[in-house]
Amino acid sequence: MAEKHSSSSLGIISRKSMLCLFLFASALFMLSWFFLLRSTSSAGFIGLSLLPHPKLNPFIDNGNSASWNRKDVEPSIGNRAILVDNEGEEEKPQKKDDLGDVKCSGSDNNYKQVLKIFMYDLPSEFHFGLIDWKPQGGSVWPDLRAKVPEYPGGLNLQHSIEYWLTLDLLASEVPGIPRAGSAVRVRNSSEADVIFVPFFSSLCYNRYSKVNPHQKKSKDKLLQEKLVKFLTSQKEWKRSGGRDHVLLAHHPNSMLDARVKLWPAIFILADFGRYPPNIANVGKDVIAPYKHVIRSYVNDSSNFDSRPTLLYFQGAIYRKDGGFARQELFYLLKDEKEVHFQFGSVQKDGVGKASQGMHSSKFCLNIAGDTPSSNRLFDAIASHCVPVIISDDIELPYENVLDYSQFCIFVRTSDAVREKFLLNLIRSIKKDEWTRMWKRLKEVENFFEFQYPSREGDAVQMIWQAVARKVPAISVTFEPVIYGPHEVLLLEKVRNSMNSHCRF
Ligand SMILES: *[C@@H]1O[C@H](CO)[C@@H](O)[C@H](O)[C@H]1NC(C)=O
Ligand SMILES: *[C@@H]1O[C@H](CO)[C@@H](O)[C@H](O)[C@H]1NC(C)=O
């Protein structure tokens, strides 16, 4: 028909078809422009989508929607750290969300937001074998659908982070386990953000660091030697020099020998008290909370007036290192009526009593022991007893995203040991301010809760997110270096300066 037309009135038709062609070409051009924008640049996207998507980033988002607000983050340190940390991340989720509206609403939506972790299938003697679990059916791992092996209780539990993190990675491979997903196990190490080493080093230290009569070395030493040999021969280790490996050493004495050989890795620690700064430091490593041993205060409807004890302390007396303050404080406080000051660590049978004591106190003292950190801080948080921290060198978990000054009191040791100083300070904190801190404690306590399956915003998720914040720094490649003592220091300097933006 068109042909017929064209033959009869050529002039008009050709003008018409020219118009059609022009329109078609314009449409094509606009379409291609549109798709080009979609596929290449999210900067183009920001231009196109006038309304910024609320879900900029999972880390920021979690924080805002859960319980801490931007304005809750200390402006000088925390806020800046969040913004800088997420600079590289911002574009991808933006793209994901906008694309999600169009067509890719499928399964790979969370791509890039989730930390991808490769975990070595270490023999069970390094992990669940240490809690007397026996491998069955050729797997080095327990079948979580059948039975989850239990971690030994008592004081071992303080450092049980190794167990919770490993369980969470295993669970990420089992469909149907309802868990929060900041991290997922991947089987191809080339696709992983970090490499996880599932060695239960704290339990190993607690249980096997004694040399038995017929042994030359303790099992703890032997396993560390074996681990160093294994790791340094892996292609994953050689590829990065170990910098993308995540090692657990929460007990201050765990990995005592291996730490000086595996130092390029990211350590997850309780504090830096027993580490020289070139082996572990706040730039490279992650501080994780202790698991509290005190019972959580469920449905806490107490208030300032219903908690009779003003100040509570229970702990061991130490003379060495930073611990001298405990003794000084004891003499200053022992005759004060509203103060409970008792020596001796919380043993199994004492947990109930200590729980009751902390649940009925307004303030709980945390004094540096022979290391800067102790599980008392986390016991206090679980008890909603406002922590009074006297430990000049303490490093706190998730410090760049959580402002501790909103629910903790920090006192310099030199001030705390001055006559009357501490009690005057604490008595000056009145009901309103205390209540504000108590409420905040109830909001943040979940960040310190270890559980299986792991849930949104609990300690396991917070630790994975802290590890994720270290990833941008490890992916910067170095020339291969033969590590001598000089290079060790030099490399650390470089890494520290690289990492410093994460904190300041
Ligand atoms: C692992 O991932 C890399 C990079 O994506 C890919 O080139 C390689 O083929 C993968 N290996 C296996 C065994 O799938
Ligand atoms: C806490 O309160 C909830 C709701 O009122 C209740 O179901 C739960 O049993 C309480 N838990 C405890 C330990 O009292």
Side-chain angles (χ1 to χ4, degrees), residues 302-362:
S302 70
N303 60 46
F304 189 77
D305 301 313
S306 74
R307 290 180 175 239
T309 307
L310 178 68
L311 184 60
Y312 183 94
F313 176 78
Q314 168 131 27
I317 215 173
Y318 285 102
R319 287 159 176 273
K320 52 183 172 174
D321 299 339
F324 81 96
R326 289 190 179 191
Q327 223 169 4
E328 299 280 315
L329 280 163
F330 173 67
Y331 290 116
L332 284 175
L333 299 173
K334 65 179 169 39
D335 298 326
E336 298 287 343
K337 273 206 181 63
E338 302 163 286
V339 177
H340 170 100
F341 206 109
Q342 197 177 336
F343 288 115
S345 60
V346 178
Q347 299 297 343
K348 243 189 231 159
D349 47 329
V351 167
K353 235 173 140 191
S355 299
Q356 210 195 350
M358 289 180 125
H359 291 185
S360 52
S361 301
K362 297 180 180 73

Side-chain angles (χ1 to χ4, degrees), residues 10-271:
L10 195 81
I12 299 164
I13 290 303
S14 70
R15 227 178 292 156
K16 254 191 189 167
S17 60
M18 281 297 275
L19 187 70
C20 278
L21 194 70
F22 173 69
L23 283 178
F24 182 59
S26 315
L28 258 184
F29 177 69
M30 281 163 76
L31 265 175
S32 64
W33 187 230
F34 183 73
F35 280 116
L36 189 76
L37 277 175
R38 289 256 131 164
S39 60
T40 54
S41 126
S42 54
F45 247 133
I46 293 167
L48 275 179
S49 57
L50 293 175
L51 293 172
H53 203 284
K55 286 196 169 189
L56 267 180
N57 182 289
F59 300 123
I60 289 184
D61 184 52
N62 277 350
N64 282 344
S65 60
S67 26
W68 75 75
N69 303 315
R70 275 301 181 93
K71 69 171 176 14
D72 289 341
V73 177
E74 197 176 301
S76 58
I77 299 174
N79 211 0
R80 169 117 183 270
I82 285 190
L83 293 176
V84 175
D85 276 357
N86 290 302
E87 242 169 26
E89 299 267 327
E90 255 175 41
E91 295 187 356
K92 290 157 198 157
Q94 175 99 19
K95 192 167 160 186
K96 170 223 128 190
D97 281 326
D98 282 284
L99 272 179
D101 296 339
V102 186
K103 54 178 175 189
C104 301
S105 55
S107 56
D108 60 351
N109 254 6
N110 291 329
Y111 189 72
K112 263 298 158 202
Q113 302 186 350
V114 174
L115 185 68
K116 283 179 285 174
I117 303 182
F118 176 85
M119 175 162 71
Y120 290 116
D121 286 315
L122 287 183
S124 60
E125 63 176 340
F126 285 98
H127 42 86
F128 288 97
L130 290 167
I131 58 180
D132 307 324
W133 172 83
K134 301 266 184 305
Q136 299 130 343
S139 171
V140 298
W141 300 113
D143 179 0
L144 299 186
R145 284 163 303 191
K147 186 173 187 295
V148 179
E150 265 179 50
Y151 198 85
L155 291 183
N156 283 311
L157 269 177
Q158 299 180 72
H159 301 293
S160 56
I161 151 179
E162 47 203 24
Y163 167 80
W164 305 104
L165 291 179
T166 306
L167 272 185
D168 188 51
L169 280 186
L170 291 175
S172 77
E173 288 193 301
V174 183
I177 294 182
R179 62 182 273 282
S182 294
V184 64
R185 186 181 186 190
V186 296
R187 291 305 181 120
N188 181 341
S189 62
S190 313
E191 288 170 356
D193 299 312
V194 291
I195 313 286
F196 185 80
V197 182
F199 174 37
F200 291 3
S201 59
S202 298
L203 187 65
C204 189
Y205 172 77
N206 275 339
R207 288 197 149 178
Y208 299 109
S209 55
K210 287 214 175 70
V211 185
N212 286 339
H214 58 282
Q215 289 174 320
K216 256 194 175 148
K217 288 178 183 170
S218 69
K219 181 169 171 177
D220 183 38
K221 255 186 192 309
L222 286 172
L223 278 179
Q224 287 181 58
E225 281 174 12
K226 235 170 150 173
L227 185 72
V228 170
K229 217 167 160 186
F230 169 83
L231 284 180
T232 50
S233 67
Q234 299 303 302
K235 67 173 196 297
E236 286 81 10
W237 184 275
K238 288 175 182 161
R239 192 175 63 192
S240 68
R243 280 179 300 115
D244 59 357
H245 281 52
V246 177
L247 284 156
L248 304 155
H250 200 263
H251 191 295
N253 291 347
S254 63
M255 299 279 272
L256 214 46
D257 302 305
R259 65 176 67 163
V260 295
K261 305 198 170 106
L262 303 176
W263 64 268
I266 297 169
F267 292 121
I268 303 190
L269 305 171
D271 60 57

